[in-house]
Amino acid sequence: MSAVVFVRRGAGVARLPAPVALEYPTGSLWLWGELEREPGGVWPTPAMWVPDVASACSGTTSLVTDAAQQPLELVPLSAQEVADNQNRNDGRRLALRPLGGFVADNIGYLFYQELLLGPGFFDEELLATSLCRLGDRRTPCDRAQHEQIWERSRFNWGHAAWLAADDTVYLYGCQRPAAFEDSCSVARAALPLIGQLAAVEYYNFAQGWIADSGNTTVLFEGPSAVTVMFNAHANAFVAVSPNIWDSRFEVRVADEPWGDFRGARLLFDALPPNNKCSSRLVPPSWAAARLLERQGVRPSESLDLTAAALDPEDYRLE
């Protein structure tokens, strides 16, 4: 799943933008498409292991490194792809961008985009969305057996994912019909078939699960990307997103993975820089979970997410 988070940067890293997160039983693996290097260049597809929110706040975490103590390229380009980039003369290059995923039996399933970037700073072309597996979070994804699932899809499928108890994987995808506007829907596939396009079904409000991705129903819309996860405290599916126009985070709640997520409610306002962790906010999924824990919500109780019930201290890491 994707996340909005700022953490302490390590040596040689110019800045840390928002990462993608894979949630393991013992912690969270944060991944980036690229990180700017100091004094120049980029680190491609680096990652950071975060065992808990306290570690994220204290800055005791660092990027996963390789044998040479350099940031590990978790989703590496092949030798041929590197050579092709070096031989290009059109100002473009192939890049890989982690999109989202899930963990099953301690194996990470990571969806990532294959993109052509350049020549301009904002120029990018989506070639495909692919899947690779992380057998060990300290070693690169094995792209030798990677699967290209969607080519130039209208939706960015795999932006978020949830694995149900019956081994059904629910995949959330968003499209951007206009600037600062995301429309999101859901697809599903059985875990053993997750890398096969023919095994993916898409939700349609009138017809149920269908094979035609072009007729999927939009579940919710927002001004920016959404993190979707199941929250045990509320016994519900929770979609969290930043509202860039109002400087706040919003939450949508549904009873089913394909449920009605409409009706965004305030989760919390963006925090002012007045505490030691002011520049490092936890991911929205963590903030939502912490809010529900603080409120003592249990599956049999209603979910109160009104503004009056919120305390900014719930989102500060001391």
mmCIF file with all atom_site columns, all heavy atoms in Angstrom, residues 15 75 169 215 243:
data_model
loop_
_atom_site.group_PDB
_atom_site.id
_atom_site.type_symbol
_atom_site.label_atom_id
_atom_site.label_alt_id
_atom_site.label_comp_id
_atom_site.label_asym_id
_atom_site.label_entity_id
_atom_site.label_seq_id
_atom_site.pdbx_PDB_ins_code
_atom_site.Cartn_x
_atom_site.Cartn_y
_atom_site.Cartn_z
_atom_site.occupancy
_atom_site.B_iso_or_equiv
_atom_site.pdbx_formal_charge
_atom_site.auth_seq_id
_atom_site.auth_comp_id
_atom_site.auth_asym_id
_atom_site.auth_atom_id
_atom_site.pdbx_PDB_model_num
ATOM 1  N N   . ARG A 1 15  ? 16.612  13.983  0.076   1.00 0.00 ? 15  ARG A N   1
ATOM 2  C CA  . ARG A 1 15  ? 15.286  14.136  0.686   1.00 0.00 ? 15  ARG A CA  1
ATOM 3  C C   . ARG A 1 15  ? 14.535  12.825  0.569   1.00 0.00 ? 15  ARG A C   1
ATOM 4  O O   . ARG A 1 15  ? 14.851  11.977  -0.262  1.00 0.00 ? 15  ARG A O   1
ATOM 5  C CB  . ARG A 1 15  ? 14.490  15.259  0.007   1.00 0.00 ? 15  ARG A CB  1
ATOM 6  C CG  . ARG A 1 15  ? 14.141  14.984  -1.452  1.00 0.00 ? 15  ARG A CG  1
ATOM 7  C CD  . ARG A 1 15  ? 13.489  16.180  -2.102  1.00 0.00 ? 15  ARG A CD  1
ATOM 8  N NE  . ARG A 1 15  ? 13.097  15.890  -3.472  1.00 0.00 ? 15  ARG A NE  1
ATOM 9  C CZ  . ARG A 1 15  ? 11.921  15.400  -3.825  1.00 0.00 ? 15  ARG A CZ  1
ATOM 10 N NH1 . ARG A 1 15  ? 11.004  15.153  -2.896  1.00 0.00 ? 15  ARG A NH1 1
ATOM 11 N NH2 . ARG A 1 15  ? 11.627  15.161  -5.090  1.00 0.00 ? 15  ARG A NH2 1
ATOM 12 N N   . VAL A 1 75  ? 14.254  -3.283  -6.584  1.00 0.00 ? 75  VAL A N   1
ATOM 13 C CA  . VAL A 1 75  ? 13.640  -3.723  -7.844  1.00 0.00 ? 75  VAL A CA  1
ATOM 14 C C   . VAL A 1 75  ? 14.608  -3.320  -8.956  1.00 0.00 ? 75  VAL A C   1
ATOM 15 O O   . VAL A 1 75  ? 14.486  -2.255  -9.549  1.00 0.00 ? 75  VAL A O   1
ATOM 16 C CB  . VAL A 1 75  ? 12.261  -3.085  -8.056  1.00 0.00 ? 75  VAL A CB  1
ATOM 17 C CG1 . VAL A 1 75  ? 11.538  -3.742  -9.233  1.00 0.00 ? 75  VAL A CG1 1
ATOM 18 C CG2 . VAL A 1 75  ? 11.406  -3.196  -6.805  1.00 0.00 ? 75  VAL A CG2 1
ATOM 19 N N   . VAL A 1 169 ? -7.081  -12.089 -3.273  1.00 0.00 ? 169 VAL A N   1
ATOM 20 C CA  . VAL A 1 169 ? -6.366  -10.815 -3.196  1.00 0.00 ? 169 VAL A CA  1
ATOM 21 C C   . VAL A 1 169 ? -7.236  -9.740  -3.833  1.00 0.00 ? 169 VAL A C   1
ATOM 22 O O   . VAL A 1 169 ? -7.637  -9.870  -5.001  1.00 0.00 ? 169 VAL A O   1
ATOM 23 C CB  . VAL A 1 169 ? -5.016  -10.886 -3.918  1.00 0.00 ? 169 VAL A CB  1
ATOM 24 C CG1 . VAL A 1 169 ? -4.283  -9.544  -3.820  1.00 0.00 ? 169 VAL A CG1 1
ATOM 25 C CG2 . VAL A 1 169 ? -4.162  -12.005 -3.338  1.00 0.00 ? 169 VAL A CG2 1
ATOM 26 N N   . ASN A 1 215 ? -15.200 -1.838  -17.740 1.00 0.00 ? 215 ASN A N   1
ATOM 27 C CA  . ASN A 1 215 ? -16.521 -1.579  -17.165 1.00 0.00 ? 215 ASN A CA  1
ATOM 28 C C   . ASN A 1 215 ? -16.510 -1.655  -15.640 1.00 0.00 ? 215 ASN A C   1
ATOM 29 O O   . ASN A 1 215 ? -17.556 -1.877  -15.015 1.00 0.00 ? 215 ASN A O   1
ATOM 30 C CB  . ASN A 1 215 ? -17.550 -2.576  -17.717 1.00 0.00 ? 215 ASN A CB  1
ATOM 31 C CG  . ASN A 1 215 ? -17.963 -2.233  -19.133 1.00 0.00 ? 215 ASN A CG  1
ATOM 32 O OD1 . ASN A 1 215 ? -18.083 -1.066  -19.492 1.00 0.00 ? 215 ASN A OD1 1
ATOM 33 N ND2 . ASN A 1 215 ? -18.151 -3.257  -19.955 1.00 0.00 ? 215 ASN A ND2 1
ATOM 34 N N   . ASN A 1 243 ? -5.998  15.267  1.674   1.00 0.00 ? 243 ASN A N   1
ATOM 35 C CA  . ASN A 1 243 ? -6.712  16.266  0.876   1.00 0.00 ? 243 ASN A CA  1
ATOM 36 C C   . ASN A 1 243 ? -5.810  17.475  0.756   1.00 0.00 ? 243 ASN A C   1
ATOM 37 O O   . ASN A 1 243 ? -5.648  18.247  1.706   1.00 0.00 ? 243 ASN A O   1
ATOM 38 C CB  . ASN A 1 243 ? -8.037  16.640  1.536   1.00 0.00 ? 243 ASN A CB  1
ATOM 39 C CG  . ASN A 1 243 ? -8.878  17.549  0.648   1.00 0.00 ? 243 ASN A CG  1
ATOM 40 O OD1 . ASN A 1 243 ? -8.356  18.408  -0.057  1.00 0.00 ? 243 ASN A OD1 1
ATOM 41 N ND2 . ASN A 1 243 ? -10.191 17.366  0.695   1.00 0.00 ? 243 ASN A ND2 1
#
